[in-house]
Structures are given as structure tokens and as C-alpha cells.
Amino acid sequence: MTNTYPDKNGYFGEFGGIFVAETLVPAIKELESAWSDTKNSKEFWDKLNYYHKNYTGRPSPLYYAKRLSDYLGGAKIYLKREDLNHTGAHKINHCLGQILLAKKMGKTRIIAETGAGQHGVATATVCALFGLKCVVYQGEVDIERQKPNAFRMKLLGADLVPVKSGSRTLKDAVTAAMQDWVSNIDNTYYLLGSVMGPHPYPEMVRTFQSIVGLEVKEQILKLENRLPDSIVACVGGGSNAIGIFHPFIDDKEVELIGTEAAGLGVNTNKHAATLCKGKKGIFHGMLSYFIQDEDGQIIEPYSISAGLDYPGIGPEHSMLKDTKRAKYTSIEDCEALDAFYKLSQLEGIIPALESSHALAYAIKTAPKLPKSHIMVVNLSGRGDKDIFTVGKIKGVGL
């Protein structure tokens, strides 16, 4: 496999493409043209790198988790500290890129969807930075379990719109944002939050997020004088995972592992393990894997972590699964909670519940690996937003 996807029609192998209502085609074509003109512009990337360095705080550290590694007694574990970015997660990486593109396109209104709230916060942040109107759609269930981020979005000046349809989670927030976009294509830019949706979003968000993997490659070579043996990242829509995976796709000696949300178990109806249990289908503008019933209807996903609570996956991940370049597994809620506590108490780092799924895989597998094995875990976000969820589950009043 050569690292050149997608093709000119937006396909990663058989996955991807553009599957949208006729009314959205002009907006997609406008975005395709703008992205094509922009992605090779030195001026654009110089401006984006200025904000990454002086606003986001990049590069984020690659941190050797010595106490966690010693406790597990196997592989040497490094954490890519995306939780230290401004706004507390990897989402700021593609939000800065897309807001600069939106300004270049002359858009004055930004809309976004959010699950855990990190993408919504990052979108509201960049809209405040550049003085653009911001509307964020978030499911009622997610607003309740992510109260700190809901408040942050409002504080930053965003209009937070509760989505009351369906499961009232991320899937329904995406649908609501797309409906808004159809009605307001002239002045509105849809700042999509993952490597999903119609082309060019999967390529565009992937390109902006690849800064994570590019930094890891440079950092690990300085620290260890070689590439890691494995890289682990949680997978919902897939942005943090593809961001760290993509620069390593051609390095076949590096194992790439994505961890999905198994919820209460992949053999129950309470999970969000799309690649482990899903089937090929078309939804939200793309051909990819989705959790579906026998009639092809989307099944409501479930996860303790709002950011992984999505029934589909970005098309590049579907390609990586089918070509066996990446391995995808699933982690149950109880395992993620255990990892949440372990990292907090062993390293003094409170991880997001999403990131805790990747940590849980490391905790399960590292003891079985030799001490010479180098494992990088993408710590995609911080867990401040999750303290109310964890406190409620553990019966701790907050």
C-alpha cells in the first residue's frame, strides 16, 4: 500500500465517495475546489503552523509513562499528549485548519456537530478567535453527560442547539448539522469533526490531524533512535486515530491498533464497535462500515464515552481494516473506567474516557510484551469533561 489515498473521486479503495442530497452538491463542489486550491498553498500552511505553535501549543509532548510501564511490567509505553493542546484535545488541529479554509472561502457562519463536546469547544474557540458566528448541534443526552463542555461552548459565544431526535447523541447531531447546511449553503461552512462524511472531509480532516503522527515520528526517533513497534488509538469517527496512524502507514514494521467502544459487550445491543461488528453501507454522505440491522437500518450505538458513541467510521479506517494494515479491537466500559483510574493514579494524568479505551488495550497487552517493545498510545484528550459521568457511575457526589 502506498500512502496516496483517496483517489480523485474521494475513495479509499471501495470506501468513501460523495453520497449527498442534490441540494448539497453545489456546497460540496465549492468545498472540493477550495480544498484543492488550498492544500498545496505554502502561505496557508505557514499561517496554520503559526497558530499551531503560538495558539495550540504544538508540538505536544511524547511522554514516557514510566510508572505505568513499570506497573505493567512489559512494553515501554509512551503517551502522545494531545490532552495538553489548547482546548484539551486533538480536535483543535482540524478546527484551526478548517476555520482558515472557511475564511478563505468567505463564509461568515460556522456550524458543527459534537458528541463529547471537545469538537464543539474547539469549533467555538476558533470562531471566537476569528470573529465568526458559531452554531453547535449536540444531542440532549450528550449535553447532560458533558455539562462542562456545554458550558464552555456557551461561554465562548456559541449557540448550542440541543438535538432531541433519535438517540439524542452524536449520530443525530451530525444529521441536524447536515440539515442546517442544506438550508444555509451560501454563507455557512460545516466544520465537520471527524474523518467521515462526504469527500473531501475525510481527506481534509486526516491531513490536518496528520500533524500528530508526523510529530510522533520525529519525537520517537530522537528519544529511541527507532520507530515504535505499535501505535494505539481509540476510534469513534476516527480522527485522532487516523491522525497518528497515517504517517506510519508505509512503515510496515509498525503495528497500528484502533480500539472501538464495546460498551456493555459486542454481543449485546449496547456497543459502538463499528469495524468489529458492522457491515458496509451508506450513511452521512459516505460508503463505509456501519452498525446495521438485517434490513440495513442504522442501529443506535452505545458507549460510556460520548465521543465514541457513533454507529459508523471514517472510510480510510474501513480500507485499513479490509487491507489488514491496521487491527481493530474493542474495549468495554468497565475496562475503560479501570484505565481512567489507573492513569490518573499512576501518572497524575486524567485521560478522556475516549482515550481510556486505547489505554485499556495497552494495560491488557503490555504485560505480555517484552520490555524492548515500544508502544505509543495517543492520549487524544483530557478527562476533566468526564468527571461527572464517572462520579455518577461510581456513586461519588459532585
Side-chain angles (χ1 to χ4, degrees):
M1 180 189 301
T2 54
N3 204 344
T4 56
Y5 290 93
D7 66 16
K8 64 180 181 178
N9 297 312
Y11 282 90
F12 300 82
E14 68 175 294
F15 303 99
I18 302 172
F19 297 88
V20 296
E22 187 176 341
T23 49
L24 261 184
V25 171
I28 291 291
K29 294 300 181 185
E30 181 188 19
L31 181 58
E32 273 191 280
S33 177
W35 172 237
S36 179
D37 290 343
T38 298
K39 62 183 176 182
N40 295 314
S41 166
K42 182 178 183 301
E43 180 184 358
F44 177 86
W45 291 104
D46 285 347
K47 184 178 292 187
L48 179 57
N49 288 333
Y50 167 83
Y51 283 105
H52 275 324
K53 180 180 178 181
N54 296 288
Y55 192 71
T56 306
R58 303 209 71 91
S60 64
L62 184 64
Y63 168 72
Y64 169 42
K66 185 177 187 306
R67 276 180 43 82
L68 178 64
S69 299
D70 289 348
Y71 171 83
L72 296 173
K76 190 174 187 179
I77 298 173
Y78 281 90
L79 305 176
K80 181 56 172 167
R81 297 292 308 275
E82 291 297 287
D83 60 309
L84 294 180
N85 292 339
H86 178 46
T87 72
H90 69 290
K91 296 292 187 180
I92 191 70
N93 299 331
H94 66 247
C95 285
L96 274 171
Q98 288 192 70
I99 201 78
L100 291 175
L101 182 60
K103 280 182 64 65
K104 186 175 179 181
M105 293 171 68
K107 302 300 182 181
T108 57
R109 179 175 178 267
I110 306 298
I111 60 172
E113 86 298 331
T114 196
Q118 288 301 125
H119 173 61
V121 168
T123 301
T125 296
V126 297
C127 286
L129 176 63
F130 290 103
L132 297 179
K133 180 174 176 57
C134 179
V135 179
V136 179
Y137 291 90
Q138 186 174 25
E140 278 188 328
V141 170
D142 290 339
I143 289 175
E144 178 60 28
R145 60 179 170 174
Q146 299 293 336
K147 286 181 179 178
N149 277 345
F151 178 78
R152 290 168 76 195
M153 284 181 268
K154 293 177 182 178
L155 176 64
L156 290 159
D159 292 333
L160 181 61
V161 181
V163 179
K164 302 178 181 182
S165 59
S167 61
R168 297 172 294 148
T169 57
L170 180 57
K171 169 181 71 70
D172 311 292
V174 174
T175 300
M178 285 189 162
Q179 290 170 346
D180 181 317
W181 196 22
V182 168
S183 303
N184 300 282
I185 59 175
D186 289 341
N187 70 332
T188 296
Y189 180 93
Y190 180 12
L191 204 158
L192 208 155
S194 194
V195 285
M196 44 171 271
H199 177 69
Y201 282 111
E203 177 194 11
M204 190 165 61
V205 175
R206 187 274 315 278
T207 302
F208 292 138
Q209 286 296 344
S210 289
I211 191 170
V212 180
L214 291 170
E215 286 180 4
V216 168
K217 185 171 278 193
E218 182 178 343
Q219 290 165 325
I220 200 68
L221 287 172
K222 286 183 179 178
L223 290 165
E224 295 284 353
N225 201 33
R226 69 178 183 89
L227 296 180
D229 297 291
S230 59
I231 295 175
V232 187
C234 66
V235 179
S239 60
N240 94 89
I242 210 67
I244 197 169
F245 287 176
H246 191 73
F248 291 91
I249 286 176
D250 290 336
D251 299 305
K252 302 298 176 57
E253 70 274 24
V254 180
E255 186 179 15
L256 307 176
I257 302 132
T259 58
E260 296 189 302
L264 302 183
V266 293
N267 293 320
T268 72
N269 62 352
K270 293 286 188 180
H271 69 80
T274 304
L275 289 173
C276 296
K277 299 291 286 188
K279 298 182 292 185
K280 296 173 186 176
I282 295 171
F283 188 55
H284 283 161
M286 61 182 174
L287 193 163
S288 193
Y289 277 98
F290 298 95
I291 307 170
Q292 306 168 66
D293 64 19
E294 292 179 357
D295 298 321
Q297 298 300 306
I298 299 298
I299 295 174
E300 299 291 355
Y302 164 81
S303 172
I304 190 175
S305 55
L308 303 185
D309 198 353
Y310 183 68
I313 186 72
E316 189 164 3
H317 284 292
S318 292
M319 181 194 72
L320 293 177
K321 167 192 162 66
D322 277 13
T323 58
K324 295 182 168 52
R325 177 58 190 95
K327 166 188 171 183
Y328 295 88
T329 185
S330 58
I331 296 294
E332 295 185 5
D333 285 355
C334 57
E335 297 172 305
L337 274 171
D338 180 63
F340 181 90
Y341 272 87
K342 281 239 177 8
L343 192 71
S344 298
Q345 295 172 2
L346 285 171
E347 294 286 353
I349 300 170
I350 303 173
L353 281 173
E354 290 79 15
S355 313
S356 298
H357 285 69
L359 286 163
Y361 177 87
I363 289 168
K364 286 204 300 186
T365 59
K368 305 169 188 175
L369 297 169
K371 292 183 183 295
S372 59
H373 185 105
I374 296 172
M375 177 183 290
V376 174
V377 177
N378 197 13
L379 197 67
S380 56
R382 64 178 179 231
D384 308 45
K385 66 183 179 62
D386 296 312
I387 58 173
F388 293 99
T389 298
V390 175
K392 185 177 180 180
I393 291 168
K394 294 293 187 180
V396 179
L398 294 173

